[in-house]
Coordinates of all heavy atoms in Angstrom, one line a residue:
M1 N 108.6 139.9 35.5 CA 109.8 139.0 35.7 C 111.1 139.7 35.3 O 111.2 140.2 34.2 CB 109.6 137.7 34.8 CG 108.6 136.8 35.3 SD 109.3 135.4 36.2 CE 110.2 134.5 34.9
S2 N 112.1 139.7 36.1 CA 113.3 140.3 35.7 C 114.1 139.2 35.1 O 114.0 138.0 35.4 CB 114.0 140.9 36.9 OG 114.3 139.9 37.8
R3 N 115.1 139.6 34.3 CA 116.1 138.6 33.8 C 117.5 139.2 33.9 O 117.6 140.4 34.0 CB 115.7 138.3 32.4 CG 115.7 139.4 31.4 CD 115.4 139.0 30.0 NE 115.2 140.1 29.1 CZ 116.2 140.7 28.4 NH1 117.5 140.4 28.7 NH2 116.0 141.7 27.6
E4 N 118.4 138.3 33.8 CA 119.8 138.7 33.7 C 120.1 139.6 32.6 O 119.6 139.4 31.5 CB 120.7 137.5 33.8 CG 120.5 136.6 34.9 CD 121.3 137.1 36.2 OE1 122.2 137.9 36.0 OE2 121.0 136.6 37.3
I5 N 121.0 140.5 32.8 CA 121.5 141.4 31.7 C 123.0 140.9 31.4 O 123.8 140.9 32.3 CB 121.5 142.9 32.0 CG1 120.1 143.3 32.3 CG2 122.1 143.7 30.9 CD1 119.1 143.3 31.2
Y6 N 123.2 140.5 30.2 CA 124.6 140.2 29.8 C 125.0 141.1 28.6 O 124.2 141.5 27.8 CB 124.6 138.7 29.2 CG 124.1 137.6 30.2 CD1 122.8 137.1 30.0 CD2 124.9 137.3 31.3 CE1 122.4 136.1 30.9 CE2 124.4 136.3 32.2 CZ 123.2 135.8 32.0 OH 122.7 134.8 32.9
T7 N 126.2 141.4 28.7 CA 126.7 142.3 27.6 C 127.8 141.7 26.8 O 128.5 140.7 27.2 CB 127.3 143.6 28.2 OG1 128.3 143.3 29.2 CG2 126.2 144.5 28.9
C8 N 127.9 142.1 25.6 CA 128.9 141.6 24.6 C 130.3 142.1 25.0 O 130.5 143.3 25.2 CB 128.6 142.0 23.2 SG 129.8 141.5 22.0
P9 N 131.3 141.2 25.1 CA 132.7 141.7 25.4 C 133.3 142.5 24.3 O 134.4 143.0 24.5 CB 133.4 140.3 25.7 CG 132.6 139.3 25.0 CD 131.2 139.8 25.0
Y10 N 132.8 142.4 23.1 CA 133.4 143.0 21.9 C 132.9 144.4 21.7 O 133.6 145.2 21.2 CB 133.2 142.1 20.7 CG 133.7 140.8 20.8 CD1 133.0 139.7 21.3 CD2 135.1 140.5 20.6 CE1 133.6 138.5 21.5 CE2 135.7 139.3 20.7 CZ 134.9 138.2 21.2 OH 135.4 137.0 21.4
C11 N 131.5 144.6 21.9 CA 131.0 145.9 21.6 C 130.3 146.5 22.8 O 129.9 147.7 22.8 CB 130.0 145.8 20.5 SG 128.6 144.9 20.9
G12 N 130.0 145.8 23.9 CA 129.5 146.3 25.1 C 127.9 146.4 25.1 O 127.3 146.8 26.0
Q13 N 127.3 146.0 24.0 CA 125.9 146.1 23.8 C 125.3 144.8 24.6 O 125.9 143.8 24.8 CB 125.5 146.0 22.4 CG 125.6 147.3 21.7 CD 124.3 147.6 20.9 OE1 123.4 146.8 20.7 NE2 124.2 148.8 20.4
E14 N 124.0 145.1 25.0 CA 123.3 144.1 25.7 C 123.0 142.9 24.8 O 122.6 143.1 23.6 CB 122.0 144.7 26.2 CG 121.2 143.7 27.1 CD 119.9 144.3 27.5 OE1 119.8 145.5 27.7 OE2 118.9 143.5 27.7
L15 N 123.3 141.7 25.3 CA 123.0 140.5 24.5 C 121.5 140.2 24.5 O 120.9 140.5 25.6 CB 123.7 139.3 25.1 CG 125.2 139.4 25.1 CD1 125.8 138.1 25.7 CD2 125.8 139.7 23.8
K16 N 120.9 139.7 23.5 CA 119.5 139.5 23.4 C 119.2 138.0 23.6 O 119.9 137.1 23.1 CB 118.9 139.9 22.1 CG 118.8 141.4 21.8 CD 118.0 141.8 20.7 CE 118.1 143.2 20.3 NZ 117.5 144.1 21.4
P17 N 118.2 137.7 24.4 CA 117.8 136.3 24.6 C 117.4 135.8 23.2 O 116.6 136.4 22.5 CB 116.6 136.3 25.6 CG 116.2 137.7 25.6 CD 117.3 138.6 25.2
W18 N 117.8 134.6 22.9 CA 117.7 134.0 21.6 C 117.4 132.5 21.6 O 118.0 131.8 22.4 CB 118.8 134.3 20.7 CG 118.8 133.8 19.4 CD1 118.2 134.3 18.2 CD2 119.4 132.5 18.9 NE1 118.4 133.5 17.2 CE2 119.1 132.4 17.5 CE3 120.1 131.5 19.6 CZ2 119.5 131.3 16.8 CZ3 120.5 130.4 18.8 CH2 120.2 130.3 17.5
A19 N 116.4 132.1 20.8 CA 116.2 130.7 20.7 C 116.0 130.3 19.3 O 115.6 131.1 18.5 CB 115.0 130.2 21.6
T20 N 116.4 129.1 18.9 CA 116.1 128.7 17.5 C 114.5 128.7 17.3 O 113.8 128.5 18.3 CB 116.7 127.3 17.2 OG1 116.1 126.4 18.2 CG2 118.1 127.3 17.3
P21 N 114.1 129.0 16.1 CA 112.7 129.2 15.9 C 111.8 128.0 16.4 O 110.8 128.3 17.0 CB 112.5 129.3 14.3 CG 113.9 129.9 14.0 CD 114.9 129.3 15.0
E22 N 112.3 126.8 16.3 CA 111.4 125.7 16.7 C 111.4 125.6 18.2 O 110.7 124.8 18.8 CB 111.8 124.4 16.0 CG 113.2 124.0 16.3 CD 114.2 124.5 15.3 OE1 113.9 125.6 14.6 OE2 115.3 123.9 15.0
M23 N 112.3 126.3 18.9 CA 112.4 126.2 20.3 C 112.0 127.6 21.0 O 112.4 127.9 22.1 CB 113.8 125.9 20.8 CG 114.2 124.5 20.4 SD 116.0 124.3 20.7 CE 116.2 125.0 22.3
A24 N 111.2 128.4 20.3 CA 111.0 129.8 20.8 C 110.0 129.9 21.9 O 108.9 130.5 21.8 CB 110.6 130.7 19.6
C25 N 110.3 129.2 22.9 CA 109.4 129.3 24.1 C 110.4 129.5 25.3 O 111.5 129.0 25.4 CB 108.8 128.0 24.3 SG 107.9 127.8 25.9
W26 N 110.0 130.4 26.2 CA 111.0 130.8 27.2 C 111.4 129.7 28.1 O 112.5 129.7 28.7 CB 110.3 131.9 28.1 CG 111.3 132.6 29.1 CD1 111.3 132.4 30.4 CD2 112.3 133.5 28.7 NE1 112.3 133.2 30.9 CE2 112.9 133.8 29.9 CE3 112.7 134.1 27.5 CZ2 114.0 134.7 30.0 CZ3 113.7 135.0 27.5 CH2 114.4 135.3 28.8
S27 N 110.5 128.7 28.2 CA 110.9 127.6 29.2 C 111.9 126.6 28.5 O 112.5 125.8 29.2 CB 109.7 126.8 29.5 OG 109.1 126.2 28.4
T28 N 112.1 126.7 27.2 CA 113.1 125.9 26.6 C 114.5 126.6 26.7 O 114.5 127.8 27.2 CB 112.9 125.7 25.1 OG1 112.8 126.9 24.4 CG2 111.6 124.9 24.9
R29 N 115.5 126.0 26.3 CA 116.8 126.5 26.5 C 117.0 127.8 25.7 O 116.8 127.8 24.5 CB 117.8 125.4 26.0 CG 119.3 125.8 26.2 CD 120.0 124.7 25.7 NE 121.4 124.9 25.7 CZ 122.3 124.2 26.4 NH1 121.9 123.1 27.0 NH2 123.6 124.5 26.4
V30 N 117.5 128.8 26.4 CA 117.7 130.1 25.8 C 119.1 130.5 25.9 O 119.8 130.3 26.8 CB 116.8 131.3 26.5 CG1 117.2 132.6 26.0 CG2 115.3 131.0 26.3
Q31 N 119.6 131.1 24.8 CA 121.0 131.5 24.7 C 120.9 133.0 24.5 O 120.0 133.6 24.1 CB 121.8 130.8 23.6 CG 121.8 129.3 23.9 CD 122.7 128.7 22.9 OE1 123.9 128.7 23.0 NE2 122.1 128.0 21.9
Y32 N 122.1 133.7 24.7 CA 122.1 135.1 24.6 C 123.1 135.5 23.4 O 124.2 134.9 23.4 CB 122.6 135.8 25.9 CG 121.5 135.8 26.9 CD1 121.2 134.6 27.6 CD2 120.8 136.9 27.2 CE1 120.2 134.6 28.5 CE2 119.7 136.9 28.1 CZ 119.4 135.7 28.8 OH 118.5 135.7 29.7
V33 N 122.6 136.3 22.5 CA 123.4 136.6 21.3 C 123.5 138.2 21.1 O 122.6 138.9 21.4 CB 122.7 136.0 20.1 CG1 123.5 136.3 18.8 CG2 122.7 134.5 20.2
C34 N 124.7 138.6 20.7 CA 124.9 140.0 20.3 C 124.3 140.2 18.9 O 124.9 139.7 18.0 CB 126.4 140.4 20.4 SG 126.7 142.0 19.8
F35 N 123.3 141.0 18.8 CA 122.7 141.2 17.5 C 123.0 142.7 17.0 O 122.3 143.3 16.2 CB 121.2 141.0 17.5 CG 120.9 139.6 17.3 CD1 120.5 138.8 18.4 CD2 120.9 139.0 16.1 CE1 120.2 137.5 18.3 CE2 120.6 137.6 15.9 CZ 120.3 136.8 17.1
N36 N 124.1 143.2 17.5 CA 124.5 144.6 17.1 C 125.2 144.4 15.7 O 126.2 143.7 15.6 CB 125.5 145.1 18.1 CG 126.1 146.5 17.7 OD1 125.7 147.0 16.7 ND2 127.1 146.9 18.5
D37 N 124.7 145.1 14.7 CA 125.2 145.0 13.4 C 126.6 145.7 13.2 O 127.3 145.5 12.2 CB 124.2 145.5 12.3 CG 123.0 144.7 12.1 OD1 123.1 143.4 12.5 OD2 122.0 145.2 11.7
N38 N 126.9 146.5 14.2 CA 128.2 147.1 14.2 C 129.2 146.6 15.1 O 130.3 147.1 15.4 CB 128.0 148.7 14.5 CG 127.2 149.3 13.5 OD1 127.4 149.2 12.3 ND2 126.2 150.1 13.9
C39 N 128.9 145.4 15.7 CA 129.8 144.8 16.6 C 131.1 144.4 15.9 O 131.0 143.7 14.8 CB 129.1 143.5 17.2 SG 130.2 142.6 18.3
P40 N 132.2 144.7 16.4 CA 133.5 144.4 15.7 C 133.7 142.9 15.5 O 134.3 142.4 14.5 CB 134.6 144.9 16.7 CG 133.9 145.3 17.9 CD 132.5 145.5 17.6
Y41 N 133.2 142.0 16.4 CA 133.3 140.6 16.2 C 132.5 140.1 14.9 O 133.0 139.3 14.1 CB 132.7 140.0 17.5 CG 132.8 138.4 17.6 CD1 134.0 137.8 17.9 CD2 131.6 137.6 17.4 CE1 134.1 136.4 18.0 CE2 131.7 136.2 17.5 CZ 133.0 135.7 17.8 OH 133.1 134.3 17.9
F42 N 131.3 140.7 14.8 CA 130.5 140.4 13.7 C 131.1 141.0 12.4 O 131.1 140.3 11.4 CB 129.1 140.9 13.9 CG 128.1 140.9 12.7 CD1 127.6 139.7 12.3 CD2 127.6 142.1 12.2 CE1 126.8 139.6 11.2 CE2 126.7 142.0 11.1 CZ 126.3 140.7 10.6
L43 N 131.6 142.2 12.5 CA 132.1 142.8 11.2 C 133.4 142.2 10.8 O 133.6 141.9 9.6 CB 132.4 144.3 11.5 CG 131.1 145.2 11.7 CD1 131.6 146.6 12.1 CD2 130.3 145.2 10.5
K44 N 134.3 141.7 11.7 CA 135.4 141.1 11.3 C 135.2 139.7 10.7 O 136.0 139.2 10.0 CB 136.3 140.9 12.6 CG 137.4 141.9 12.7 CD 138.1 141.5 14.0 CE 139.5 142.1 14.1 NZ 140.2 141.8 15.3
G45 N 134.1 139.1 11.2 CA 133.7 137.7 10.8 C 133.6 137.6 9.3 O 133.9 136.5 8.7
W46 N 133.1 138.6 8.7 CA 132.9 138.5 7.1 C 134.2 138.3 6.5 O 134.3 137.4 5.6 CB 132.2 139.8 6.6 CG 130.9 140.1 7.1 CD1 130.5 140.9 8.2 CD2 129.6 139.3 6.8 NE1 129.1 140.8 8.4 CE2 128.6 139.9 7.5 CE3 129.4 138.4 5.8 CZ2 127.3 139.4 7.4 CZ3 128.0 138.0 5.6 CH2 127.0 138.5 6.4
D47 N 135.2 139.1 6.8 CA 136.5 139.0 6.1 C 137.1 137.7 6.5 O 137.8 137.0 5.6 CB 137.4 140.1 6.6 CG 137.1 141.5 6.0 OD1 136.4 141.4 5.0 OD2 137.4 142.5 6.6
W48 N 137.0 137.2 7.8 CA 137.6 136.0 8.2 C 137.1 134.8 7.4 O 137.8 134.0 6.9 CB 137.5 135.9 9.7 CG 138.4 134.9 10.2 CD1 139.7 135.1 10.6 CD2 138.2 133.4 10.4 NE1 140.3 133.9 11.1 CE2 139.3 132.9 10.9 CE3 137.0 132.6 10.2 CZ2 139.4 131.5 11.2 CZ3 137.1 131.3 10.5 CH2 138.3 130.7 11.1
M49 N 135.7 134.7 7.4 CA 135.1 133.7 6.7 C 135.4 133.6 5.2 O 135.6 132.5 4.6 CB 133.6 133.7 6.9 CG 133.1 133.5 8.3 SD 133.4 131.8 8.9 CE 132.1 130.8 8.2
R50 N 135.5 134.8 4.7 CA 135.8 134.9 3.2 C 137.2 134.4 3.0 O 137.5 133.6 2.0 CB 135.6 136.3 2.7 CG 135.3 136.4 1.2 CD 134.9 137.8 0.8 NE 133.7 138.2 1.4 CZ 133.4 139.3 2.0 NH1 134.4 140.2 2.2 NH2 132.2 139.6 2.4
S51 N 138.2 134.7 3.8 CA 139.6 134.4 3.5 C 139.8 133.0 4.0 O 140.6 132.3 3.3 CB 140.5 135.3 4.4 OG 140.3 135.2 5.8
Q52 N 139.1 132.4 4.9 CA 139.4 131.1 5.4 C 138.6 130.0 4.5 O 139.1 129.0 4.2 CB 139.0 130.9 6.8 CG 139.8 131.8 7.8 CD 141.3 131.3 7.8 OE1 141.6 130.1 7.9 NE2 142.2 132.3 7.7
F53 N 137.3 130.4 4.2 CA 136.4 129.4 3.6 C 135.8 129.8 2.3 O 135.0 129.1 1.8 CB 135.3 129.0 4.6 CG 135.8 128.5 5.9 CD1 135.7 129.2 7.1 CD2 136.4 127.2 6.0 CE1 136.2 128.7 8.3 CE2 136.9 126.7 7.2 CZ 136.8 127.5 8.3
Q54 N 136.2 131.0 1.8 CA 135.6 131.5 0.6 C 134.1 131.5 0.6 O 133.4 131.2 -0.4 CB 136.1 130.8 -0.6 CG 137.6 131.0 -1.0 CD 138.5 130.3 -0.1 OE1 138.4 129.0 0.1 NE2 139.5 130.9 0.5
V55 N 133.5 131.9 1.7 CA 132.0 131.9 1.8 C 131.7 133.3 2.3 O 132.4 134.0 3.0 CB 131.4 130.9 2.8 CG1 131.6 129.5 2.2 CG2 132.1 131.0 4.2
N56 N 130.5 133.7 1.9 CA 130.0 135.1 2.3 C 129.1 134.9 3.6 O 127.9 134.7 3.5 CB 129.2 135.6 1.2 CG 128.9 137.1 1.4 OD1 129.7 137.8 2.0 ND2 127.8 137.6 0.9
A57 N 129.8 134.8 4.7 CA 129.0 134.6 6.0 C 129.9 135.2 7.1 O 131.0 135.7 6.9 CB 128.9 133.1 6.2
S58 N 129.2 135.3 8.3 CA 129.9 135.7 9.4 C 129.4 135.0 10.7 O 128.7 134.0 10.5 CB 129.7 137.3 9.5 OG 130.5 137.7 10.7
Y59 N 129.6 135.5 11.8 CA 129.1 135.0 13.0 C 128.9 136.0 14.1 O 129.5 137.1 14.0 CB 130.0 133.9 13.6 CG 131.5 134.2 13.4 CD1 132.2 135.0 14.3 CD2 132.2 133.7 12.3 CE1 133.5 135.4 14.1 CE2 133.5 134.0 12.1 CZ 134.2 134.8 13.0 OH 135.5 135.2 12.9
R60 N 128.1 135.7 15.0 CA 127.8 136.7 16.1 C 128.3 136.0 17.5 O 128.2 134.8 17.6 CB 126.3 137.0 16.1 CG 125.8 137.8 14.9 CD 124.3 138.1 15.0 NE 123.8 138.8 13.9 CZ 123.9 140.1 13.7 NH1 124.5 140.9 14.6 NH2 123.4 140.7 12.6
H61 N 128.5 136.9 18.4 CA 128.9 136.5 19.7 C 127.7 135.8 20.4 O 126.6 136.4 20.5 CB 129.4 137.6 20.6 CG 129.7 137.2 21.9 ND1 130.7 136.4 22.3 CD2 129.1 137.6 23.1 CE1 130.8 136.2 23.6 NE2 129.8 136.9 24.2
R62 N 127.9 134.6 20.9 CA 126.8 133.8 21.6 C 127.3 133.4 23.0 O 128.4 133.0 23.2 CB 126.5 132.7 20.7 CG 125.4 131.7 21.3 CD 125.3 130.5 20.4 NE 126.6 129.8 20.2 CZ 127.1 128.9 21.1 NH1 126.5 128.6 22.2 NH2 128.2 128.4 20.8
F63 N 126.4 133.5 23.9 CA 126.7 133.2 25.3 C 125.6 132.2 25.8 O 124.4 132.5 25.7 CB 126.8 134.4 26.2 CG 126.9 134.2 27.7 CD1 128.0 133.5 28.2 CD2 125.9 134.5 28.5 CE1 128.1 133.2 29.5 CE2 125.9 134.2 29.9 CZ 127.0 133.6 30.4
D64 N 126.0 131.1 26.4 CA 125.1 130.2 27.0 C 125.1 130.3 28.5 O 126.1 129.9 29.1 CB 125.4 128.7 26.5 CG 124.4 127.7 27.0 OD1 123.7 128.0 28.0 OD2 124.4 126.6 26.4
P65 N 124.1 130.9 29.1 CA 124.1 131.1 30.6 C 124.1 129.8 31.3 O 124.4 129.9 32.5 CB 122.9 132.0 30.8 CG 122.0 131.7 29.7 CD 122.8 131.4 28.5
V66 N 123.6 128.7 30.8 CA 123.6 127.5 31.5 C 124.9 126.9 31.7 O 125.3 126.5 32.8 CB 122.6 126.5 30.8 CG1 122.6 125.1 31.5 CG2 121.2 127.0 30.6
T67 N 125.7 126.9 30.7 CA 127.0 126.3 30.7 C 128.2 127.4 31.0 O 129.2 127.0 31.3 CB 127.4 125.5 29.5 OG1 127.4 126.4 28.3 CG2 126.4 124.4 29.2
G68 N 127.8 128.6 30.7 CA 128.8 129.7 30.8 C 129.7 129.7 29.6 O 130.7 130.5 29.6
E69 N 129.4 128.9 28.5 CA 130.2 128.9 27.4 C 129.9 130.0 26.4 O 128.7 130.4 26.3 CB 130.0 127.6 26.6 CG 130.7 126.4 27.2 CD 130.5 125.2 26.4 OE1 129.4 125.1 25.8 OE2 131.3 124.3 26.5
T70 N 130.9 130.5 25.7 CA 130.7 131.5 24.6 C 131.2 130.9 23.4 O 132.0 130.0 23.4 CB 131.4 132.8 24.9 OG1 132.8 132.5 25.0 CG2 130.9 133.4 26.2
G71 N 130.6 131.4 22.2 CA 131.1 130.9 21.0 C 130.4 131.6 19.9 O 129.5 132.4 20.1
P72 N 130.8 131.3 18.6 CA 130.2 132.0 17.5 C 128.9 131.3 17.1 O 128.7 130.1 17.1 CB 131.3 131.8 16.4 CG 131.9 130.5 16.7 CD 131.9 130.4 18.2
L73 N 128.0 132.2 16.7 CA 126.7 131.8 16.1 C 126.8 132.1 14.6 O 126.8 133.3 14.3 CB 125.5 132.5 16.7 CG 124.2 132.2 16.0 CD1 123.7 130.8 16.3 CD2 123.1 133.2 16.5
P74 N 127.0 131.2 13.7 CA 127.2 131.5 12.3 C 125.9 132.1 11.7 O 124.8 131.6 12.0 CB 127.4 130.1 11.7 CG 127.7 129.2 12.8 CD 127.0 129.7 14.0
V75 N 126.1 133.1 10.9 CA 125.0 133.8 10.2 C 125.4 134.0 8.8 O 126.6 134.2 8.5 CB 124.6 135.1 10.9 CG1 123.9 134.9 12.2 CG2 125.8 136.0 11.0
W76 N 124.5 134.1 7.9 CA 124.7 134.3 6.5 C 124.3 135.6 6.0 O 124.5 136.0 4.8 CB 124.1 133.2 5.6 CG 122.6 133.1 5.9 CD1 121.6 133.7 5.2 CD2 122.0 132.3 6.9 NE1 120.4 133.4 5.8 CE2 120.6 132.6 6.8 CE3 122.4 131.4 7.9 CZ2 119.6 132.0 7.7 CZ3 121.5 130.8 8.8 CH2 120.1 131.1 8.6
S77 N 123.6 136.4 6.8 CA 123.3 137.8 6.5 C 123.0 138.5 7.8 O 123.0 138.0 8.9 CB 122.0 137.8 5.6 OG 120.8 137.6 6.5
K78 N 122.8 139.9 7.6 CA 122.6 140.7 8.8 C 121.4 140.3 9.5 O 121.3 140.5 10.8 CB 122.4 142.2 8.3 CG 123.8 142.9 8.3 CD 123.5 144.4 8.1 CE 124.8 145.3 8.3 NZ 124.5 146.7 8.1
D79 N 120.4 139.9 8.8 CA 119.1 139.6 9.4 C 118.9 138.2 9.8 O 117.9 137.8 10.4 CB 117.9 140.0 8.5 CG 117.9 141.5 8.4 OD1 118.2 142.2 9.4 OD2 117.6 142.0 7.2
A80 N 119.9 137.3 9.4 CA 119.8 135.9 9.7 C 119.7 135.7 11.3 O 120.4 136.4 12.0 CB 120.9 135.1 9.2
M81 N 118.8 134.8 11.6 CA 118.7 134.4 13.1 C 117.9 135.4 13.9 O 117.6 135.2 15.0 CB 120.0 134.2 13.8 CG 120.9 133.2 13.1 SD 120.2 131.5 13.2 CE 121.4 130.5 12.5
K82 N 117.6 136.6 13.4 CA 116.9 137.7 14.2 C 115.5 137.2 14.5 O 115.0 137.8 15.5 CB 117.0 139.0 13.4 CG 118.3 139.7 13.6 CD 118.3 141.0 13.0 CE 119.6 141.7 13.2 NZ 119.8 143.0 12.4
N83 N 114.9 136.3 13.7 CA 113.6 135.9 14.1 C 113.5 135.1 15.3 O 112.5 134.7 15.9 CB 112.8 135.3 12.9 CG 113.6 134.0 12.4 OD1 114.7 133.7 12.8 ND2 113.0 133.4 11.5
G84 N 114.7 134.7 15.8 CA 114.8 133.9 17.1 C 114.9 134.8 18.3 O 114.9 134.2 19.4
I85 N 115.0 136.1 18.2 CA 115.1 136.9 19.3 C 113.9 136.9 20.1 O 112.7 137.1 19.6 CB 115.4 138.4 18.9 CG1 116.7 138.5 18.2 CG2 115.5 139.3 20.1 CD1 117.1 139.8 17.5
I86 N 114.0 136.8 21.4 CA 112.8 136.7 22.3 C 112.7 138.1 22.9 O 113.3 138.5 23.8 CB 113.0 135.7 23.4 CG1 113.2 134.3 22.8 CG2 111.8 135.7 24.3 CD1 113.7 133.3 23.8
E87 N 111.7 138.9 22.3 CA 111.5 140.2 22.8 C 110.5 140.2 23.9 O 110.6 141.0 24.8 CB 110.9 141.1 21.7 CG 111.9 141.3 20.5 CD 113.1 142.1 20.8 OE1 113.2 142.7 21.9 OE2 113.8 142.4 19.8
N88 N 109.5 139.4 23.9 CA 108.5 139.3 24.9 C 108.2 137.9 25.2 O 107.6 137.2 24.4 CB 107.2 140.1 24.4 CG 106.2 140.1 25.4 OD1 106.2 139.5 26.5 ND2 105.2 140.9 25.2
Q89 N 108.6 137.5 26.4 CA 108.5 136.1 26.6 C 107.0 135.6 26.8 O 106.8 134.4 26.6 CB 109.2 135.7 28.0 CG 108.8 136.5 29.1 CD 109.6 136.1 30.4 OE1 109.5 135.1 30.8 NE2 110.3 137.1 30.9
E90 N 106.1 136.5 27.1 CA 104.7 136.1 27.2 C 104.2 135.6 25.9 O 103.2 134.7 26.0 CB 103.9 137.4 27.6 CG 104.4 138.2 28.8 CD 104.2 137.4 30.1 OE1 103.2 136.7 30.2 OE2 105.1 137.5 31.0
N91 N 104.6 136.1 24.8 CA 104.0 135.7 23.5 C 104.7 134.5 22.8 O 104.4 134.2 21.7 CB 104.0 136.9 22.6 CG 103.1 138.0 23.2 OD1 102.1 137.8 23.9 ND2 103.4 139.3 22.9
Q92 N 105.7 134.0 23.4 CA 106.5 133.0 22.7 C 105.9 131.6 22.7 O 106.2 130.8 21.8 CB 107.9 133.1 23.2 CG 108.6 134.4 22.9 CD 108.7 134.7 21.5 OE1 109.0 133.8 20.6 NE2 108.5 136.0 21.1
C93 N 105.1 131.3 23.7 CA 104.7 129.9 23.9 C 103.4 129.8 23.2 O 102.4 130.5 23.5 CB 104.6 129.5 25.3 SG 106.2 129.5 26.2
E94 N 103.2 128.8 22.2 CA 102.0 128.7 21.5 C 101.0 127.7 22.0 O 99.9 127.6 21.5 CB 102.4 128.4 20.0 CG 103.3 129.5 19.5 CD 103.0 129.7 18.0 OE1 102.6 128.8 17.3 OE2 103.3 130.9 17.5
N95 N 101.4 126.9 23.0 CA 100.5 125.9 23.4 C 99.7 126.3 24.7 O 100.0 127.1 25.4 CB 101.2 124.5 23.6 CG 102.5 124.7 24.4 OD1 102.9 125.9 24.6 ND2 103.1 123.6 24.8
Ligands
ZN1 ZN1 128.8 142.6 20.2

């Protein structure tokens, strides 16, 4: 099965298909997220969140291919949300 390739407008890296853990099945709604730890959008987010909200958090670039919308995916650490990355769609459905 081929899938669409989307790239991050901030760093140019390929976005990874991502689903929240309880929805980690390919047939459910999948979004695309930039998980590049050196992405300028992600790196800038730390300073912005700290200055605006006094919290130690950031966000990653997120793209929804169904609606075409983009927006921030809030994360509290470098590894947050990474367990939702769908690397192999064959193994994601448990039923
Ligand atoms: Zn990026």
Side-chain angles (χ1 to χ4, degrees):
M1 287 263 292
S2 64
R3 60 177 172 85
E4 297 277 346
I5 301 292
Y6 302 106
T7 54
C8 175
Y10 301 94
C11 67
Q13 279 226 353
E14 188 183 327
L15 302 182
K16 290 191 186 295
W18 176 85
T20 54
E22 61 270 26
M23 290 169 49
C25 172
W26 190 254
S27 61
T28 60
R29 187 183 174 119
V30 172
Q31 301 186 73
Y32 287 78
V33 176
C34 174
F35 279 102
N36 176 8
D37 290 337
N38 295 314
C39 180
Y41 185 74
F42 173 65
L43 290 177
K44 265 182 155 176
W46 296 103
D47 287 340
W48 196 87
M49 291 296 281
R50 206 172 290 129
S51 64
Q52 297 294 314
F53 300 110
Q54 287 81 49
V55 293
N56 194 31
S58 184
Y59 38 79
R60 294 180 181 278
H61 174 68
R62 178 183 54 80
F63 171 65
D64 184 337
V66 177
T67 63
E69 280 180 335
T70 61
L73 174 71
V75 291
W76 55 91
S77 78
K78 268 189 174 182
D79 293 322
M81 302 297 186
K82 282 184 177 171
N83 58 357
I85 297 172
I86 301 170
E87 298 285 4
N88 182 349
Q89 57 180 296
E90 307 290 325
N91 295 331
Q92 295 299 322
C93 296
E94 302 213 330
N95 47 352

